[in-house]
Amino acid sequence: MMKRRTFLQRIGSILAVLEITEAFGLSLGNNYYQALAQTSSRKLALLVGINNYSQFPTLNGCLTDVELQKQLLIHRFGFQLSDIICLTNEQASKSLIQKAFNDLNTQVKPGDVVYFHFSGYSSYVKSQKALVLFDDSLEKKGEANYLLEETLQLILHALKTENVIAVLDTGYNINHSKNCGLKVRAVQIPDNINIADDELEYQKQLKNRAITTPPALILSATSNPNQSARELQMSGFSTGLFTYALTQYLWENSLTTTVQFGLQKVNSTVQQLGSNQQSTLINSKKIQQLGTFASNFGIGADINIQSQIQAQHSGGAEGAITTVEEDGKTVQLWLGGVPAHVLEYIGVNSRFAVISNSASSNLVLRVRSGLTAKASLRTDSSTETPITLQVGQLIQEVVRVIPKNIHLNIGLDKLERIERVDATSAFATFNHISSTVAEQPTDYIFGKLLDKPQETGAMVSSSRYGLFSLSGELIANTSGEVGEAVKVAAQRLAPKLQTLLAAKLWRITENEASSLLNVKVTLETVVASHDGASSQPIMIRETLRSQAFSTKVLTTIELNKLSIGNRIQYQVENKSNQILYLMLLGLDSSKNAFALYAWQNKSEDAPSNPSLQNITIEPGATTTVPQTNPGFEWIIQGLSDSWEVQLILSTAPFTQTLAALSVTKVARVEQQRIVPVSNPSEVAVALLQDLHDAYKDKKDMSDAYVWNVNNWASFSFVFQAQ
């Protein structure tokens, strides 16, 4: 069996030949040897990401995924940089990956934590799933020099510890849908390529080993062969949708949530970002107790919170300090905990609090590029205790600054030149709607529908235009007639585009993980019976930062699926010491906007003229919305597709939002109703302004909204109607 020193010498020499040792990110110095030689339990990671394949089209987000995982493991889970091996691009060959696993197998001990990540292409080899590694020899011997998924599971299971976690951000469905704005991490290899004989022999050896540890916990980006693992293009970087959603969730949320609950919330995020892929646990049936993220990462329930506040802070964080400049007041930040739809627009002068045992100080964001930012210590408060800024300190959101000029970005899918010109000019006439080019962030795709002619059976572009999600699904009721002109199609889609813009705006308010308002919201189904109506919780959302740390395991129900015909309602509990105001907006399965209207008579003298009123919740009180009223029930109707609800609470009334809602002409009754909204983008803008007005102690900026986490809480509910 190869000694560790021999392995490191060998791997170092291979990398030196490739002239990539310094770019590798693998520490081969004394600190690395000493860390792995320690007798106490360790946390070890192998992170693999491949963008540049010699035989396949280039991917964009796999190296970002590796960095996302590395920063998370170091700052959130207490991994040492010297214990993290990163194999990227040409370093991610089968030989080096196998050597790394063999070395882990000789060094790991019971109680250690081993974390494996893979981002890159996958494919089928003779009907078997395989991770596509970096290798030029695919067709030289007629064998696939890849890593079969079955082999990977056997390797992980053979590691001599019960704490093995793997994340696979890859998939097997190539997806030939033309109207797709997200790169797919799957390729097809020739049918004449066989599984390598040495891999089959290696599998046999692994199966013959006596193994007493439980199977590894393996998280996969897709849950069935028909789904595609996709990449997300953001300003300044690309990333795997699953990796970003997973790492962002683990940054911001309590580590005492169960793995299943966490994945369900991750899936909601992925769906909001435009993909229908749903992550899953590959081998959950083989694992008797999945536990929490904390238990799987080796974080015990008896940890000393004060001593571990940086590595395992219970309330989560939006990021960490990665560099402190010489003046001691200017820092570089990693913002991996900021939700994707917020990160895209979080602006200069946003503020973050430094989590510290001794003091609390604010950092003011000065400039941001992708996931990194430069910030300076706020010095305008004489009452704050000075703090020494250090690399690794976690940060939490305090003030969010968002520009007012936010656009809905529409990608143009492989249109002819004249069609592209016409579409670009047509969209330019709409307020806050823009067309984008390749490699730019996009919200939806404008393109042609694919038809299947009877003569050939092959999918070809039709002469009908429509609007598509980033994963290629046609948005309901957006397809036009045959022969429709591009400009006519754009005009036809104008109302739908304004609705989708509204949804984009209210999503930016989401702050469940950073809000300091103490609120709990439960989505319930209501079932009538001869004994009266009973309710069943479906999803629970709760702010975390306002609560003291608890080791209680959060096993909240999060089914994400409802049946058409279900009656639903929300229970909203105000645990704070102040009156809160409530607003509810959403999209149904046809992507039509709706809102919760609450009418009430201002006086007994005018009982026939009810007006829109704020919904208020007293401190310590719980309210049901919409309230049960004769003749009205909120019932899931329409298409089998996703619904989205944004429930927002504020310390100030929604004055401008109510004024915008009143524009919609509907019959007024003295009760609460869910009502379609005719001017959704105006309502969303008014909502953002009301949240801005709720923050009194601020410097007004004419071109931006400024929100304080003490003043609002915004919860997102995404569920599938079927």
Side-chain angles (χ1 to χ4, degrees):
M1 186 174 291
M2 186 182 296
K3 301 278 187 185
R4 177 167 186 76
R5 184 180 299 275
T6 304
F7 164 71
L8 289 171
Q9 289 172 346
R10 230 182 250 191
I11 196 172
S13 64
I14 294 172
L15 294 173
V17 171
L18 294 173
E19 296 182 345
I20 53 176
T21 305
E22 290 185 2
F24 183 26
L26 169 63
S27 302
L28 299 176
N30 291 331
N31 290 339
Y32 184 69
Y33 294 108
Q34 292 168 4
L36 290 177
Q38 293 174 358
T39 57
S40 59
S41 63
R42 303 182 304 276
K43 298 178 180 180
L44 310 172
L46 173 58
L47 311 178
V48 179
I50 311 171
N51 278 343
N52 301 326
Y53 286 87
S54 59
Q55 68 273 39
F56 300 118
T58 299
L59 292 170
N60 296 334
C62 300
L63 302 196
T64 304
D65 291 356
V66 168
E67 188 65 20
L68 284 165
Q69 291 284 13
K70 184 176 75 172
Q71 296 292 341
L72 174 77
L73 295 177
I74 291 171
H75 298 297
R76 192 76 170 103
F77 291 106
F79 281 61
Q80 298 298 312
L81 177 61
S82 55
D83 289 340
I84 300 175
I85 297 175
C86 301
L87 295 174
T88 57
N89 288 335
E90 60 263 42
Q91 303 151 6
S93 65
K94 188 173 184 179
S95 60
L96 281 181
I97 291 174
Q98 285 185 332
K99 284 181 173 66
F101 271 128
N102 288 339
D103 181 62
L104 279 174
N105 200 41
T106 61
Q107 298 299 317
V108 73
K109 297 178 181 179
D112 290 351
V113 175
V114 176
Y115 192 92
F116 174 73
H117 176 93
F118 176 82
S119 284
Y121 281 124
S122 287
S123 187
Y124 284 103
V125 183
K126 299 301 180 184
S127 301
Q128 290 205 42
K129 295 178 178 179
L131 308 183
V132 179
L133 308 180
F134 185 91
D135 205 299
D136 294 322
S137 60
L138 173 63
E139 298 180 8
K140 291 179 181 178
K141 298 179 181 179
E143 293 182 342
N145 202 18
Y146 301 159
L147 180 62
L148 295 181
E149 191 176 287
E150 182 183 359
T151 305
L152 175 64
Q153 293 189 41
L154 291 170
I155 291 172
L156 296 172
H157 195 187
L159 295 171
K160 296 184 290 290
T161 178
E162 64 277 18
N163 302 315
V164 180
I165 307 166
V167 175
L168 306 181
D169 196 346
T170 187
Y172 299 93
N173 183 26
I174 298 174
N175 192 310
H176 295 286
S177 172
K178 179 186 175 187
N179 302 299
C180 181
L182 304 173
K183 281 196 172 186
V184 174
R185 292 181 174 178
V187 291
Q188 186 172 2
I189 64 172
D191 293 335
N192 62 345
I193 300 299
N194 297 310
I195 300 170
D197 291 337
D198 60 351
E199 173 134 9
L200 296 176
E201 178 60 30
Y202 187 39
Q203 279 192 12
K204 187 182 299 183
Q205 294 175 15
L206 290 169
K207 290 177 179 178
N208 289 334
R209 291 184 184 180
I211 298 173
T212 58
T213 55
L217 186 71
I218 304 177
L219 285 61
S220 173
T222 59
S223 58
N224 71 62
N226 296 322
Q227 296 176 1
S228 299
R230 302 179 186 276
E231 294 192 334
L232 176 68
Q233 179 66 51
M234 297 185 65
S235 296
F237 69 97
S238 293
T239 178
L241 266 170
F242 175 51
T243 299
Y244 192 96
L246 175 65
T247 55
Q248 187 274 320
Y249 172 82
L250 291 173
W251 269 103
E252 273 204 325
N253 288 274
S254 170
L255 302 182
T256 58
T257 56
T258 63
V259 175
Q260 301 101 314
F261 174 59
L263 281 185
Q264 287 155 347
K265 293 197 73 175
V266 166
N267 287 339
S268 292
T269 298
V270 169
Q271 198 162 15
Q272 277 193 324
L273 293 173
S275 178
N276 61 352
Q277 69 186 73
Q278 297 286 280
S279 60
T280 190
L281 293 162
I282 286 181
N283 53 352
S284 59
K285 293 182 179 179
K286 298 180 181 179
I287 303 174
Q288 294 181 352
Q289 178 59 45
L290 293 175
T292 66
F293 284 106
S295 63
N296 280 284
F297 278 94
I299 302 173
D302 58 346
I303 60 174
N304 184 310
I305 297 304
Q306 291 303 313
S307 64
Q308 300 291 332
I309 193 168
Q310 288 304 309
Q312 290 112 10
H313 185 75
S314 63
E318 275 65 59
I321 296 175
T322 56
T323 304
V324 180
E325 297 188 3
E326 290 184 1
D327 62 4
K329 296 181 180 180
T330 306
V331 298
Q332 295 286 339
L333 302 177
W334 178 260
L335 300 176
V338 178
H341 44 270
V342 177
L343 179 69
E344 195 72 8
Y345 295 101
I346 194 165
V348 172
N349 292 318
S350 294
R351 299 209 317 260
F352 297 89
V354 179
I355 303 172
S356 170
N357 287 326
S358 58
S360 176
S361 295
N362 284 347
L363 295 170
V364 181
L365 192 149
R366 299 306 183 192
V367 62
R368 181 184 63 83
S369 176
L371 286 155
T372 61
K374 179 177 283 191
S376 59
L377 190 63
R378 189 184 183 198
T379 57
D380 59 351
S381 176
S382 59
T383 61
E384 289 184 353
T385 304
I387 184 174
T388 301
L389 299 177
Q390 299 176 0
V391 172
Q393 287 174 323
L394 300 182
I395 58 170
Q396 293 180 332
E397 182 180 37
V398 176
V399 173
R400 184 179 300 178
V401 178
I402 298 293
K404 290 184 176 180
N405 190 30
I406 294 176
H407 284 226
L408 187 74
N409 300 315
I410 305 299
L412 306 180
D413 183 66
K414 298 181 179 65
L415 301 176
E416 298 296 332
R417 183 178 180 278
I418 186 62
E419 293 175 310
R420 183 177 294 274
V421 170
D422 287 347
T424 300
S425 62
F427 289 131
T429 64
F430 302 153
N431 289 331
H432 301 289
I433 307 294
S434 299
S435 57
T436 61
V437 297
E439 307 302 322
Q440 287 186 342
T442 301
D443 298 307
Y444 295 91
I445 301 294
F446 175 78
K448 294 179 180 179
L449 277 69
L450 295 178
D451 290 337
K452 185 183 291 186
Q454 293 182 352
E455 308 84 59
T456 64
M459 300 298 290
V460 297
S461 295
S462 71
S463 57
R464 296 188 298 149
Y465 300 100
L467 197 64
F468 301 83
S469 71
L470 293 183
S471 55
E473 286 82 27
L474 179 68
I475 304 299
N477 303 319
T478 65
S479 59
E481 299 295 330
V482 174
E484 181 182 36
V486 170
K487 289 188 175 181
V488 173
Q491 290 292 334
R492 173 176 55 80
L493 292 172
K496 184 65 69 178
L497 294 175
Q498 292 300 317
T499 298
L500 297 175
L501 171 63
K504 179 176 181 175
L505 294 178
W506 71 55
R507 287 175 194 144
I508 296 174
T509 70
E510 181 183 354
N511 73 335
E512 175 185 345
S514 64
S515 175
L516 291 181
L517 295 182
N518 198 343
V519 182
K520 180 179 180 180
V521 182
T522 305
L523 170 61
E524 301 175 333
T525 57
V526 182
V527 180
S529 66
H530 63 277
D531 296 325
S534 61
S535 60
Q536 171 68 40
I538 300 300
M539 300 183 194
I540 298 179
R541 297 282 187 264
E542 188 168 9
T543 54
L544 298 173
R545 301 239 168 115
S546 58
Q547 304 171 34
F549 175 77
S550 172
T551 56
K552 178 183 177 182
V553 175
L554 302 179
T555 56
T556 306
I557 297 171
E558 174 96 2
L559 299 180
N560 283 12
K561 293 182 180 180
L562 290 171
S563 298
I564 294 174
N566 279 159
R567 173 187 163 193
I568 61 172
Q569 64 185 24
Y570 286 90
Q571 293 286 345
V572 185
E573 184 177 356
N574 179 6
K575 298 182 178 182
S576 73
N577 58 3
Q578 56 191 318
I579 295 174
L580 296 180
Y581 299 83
L582 182 149
M583 180 61 58
L584 184 152
L585 303 167
L587 295 180
D588 63 18
S589 57
S590 296
K591 301 298 179 283
N592 296 319
F594 59 82
L596 174 61
Y597 281 65
W599 287 286
Q600 186 177 343
N601 286 318
K602 289 185 177 180
S603 66
E604 295 181 0
D605 298 331
S608 61
N609 187 31
S611 61
L612 275 179
Q613 301 292 313
N614 276 285
I615 299 174
T616 60
I617 312 175
E618 296 292 327
T622 299
T623 191
T624 301
V625 291
Q627 294 175 349
T628 302
N629 294 293
F632 174 75
E633 295 178 331
W634 190 8
I635 296 175
I636 299 298
Q637 298 174 331
L639 304 173
S640 295
D641 208 335
S642 63
W643 283 57
E644 177 180 335
V645 175
Q646 201 75 28
L647 195 148
I648 309 102
L649 297 116
S650 174
T651 56
F654 290 102
T655 305
Q656 296 196 43
T657 311
L658 291 183
L661 286 172
S662 64
V663 171
T664 298
K665 303 301 181 182
V666 294
R668 301 186 178 192
V669 291
E670 192 177 356
Q671 58 182 340
Q672 295 179 6
R673 290 280 179 93
I674 299 296
V675 176
V677 177
S678 62
N679 58 334
S681 60
E682 289 84 357
V683 170
V685 169
L687 169 71
L688 271 54
Q689 185 63 44
D690 279 332
L691 296 180
H692 174 86
D693 294 340
Y695 180 23
K696 304 301 182 183
D697 184 23
K698 65 178 181 295
K699 295 180 180 178
D700 267 323
M701 289 178 266
S702 60
D703 59 347
Y705 301 108
V706 184
W707 307 327
N708 191 298
V709 295
N710 289 289
N711 296 118
W712 102 100
S714 182
F715 303 89
S716 178
F717 293 82
V718 179
F719 53 86
Q720 195 77 15
Q722 57 184 15

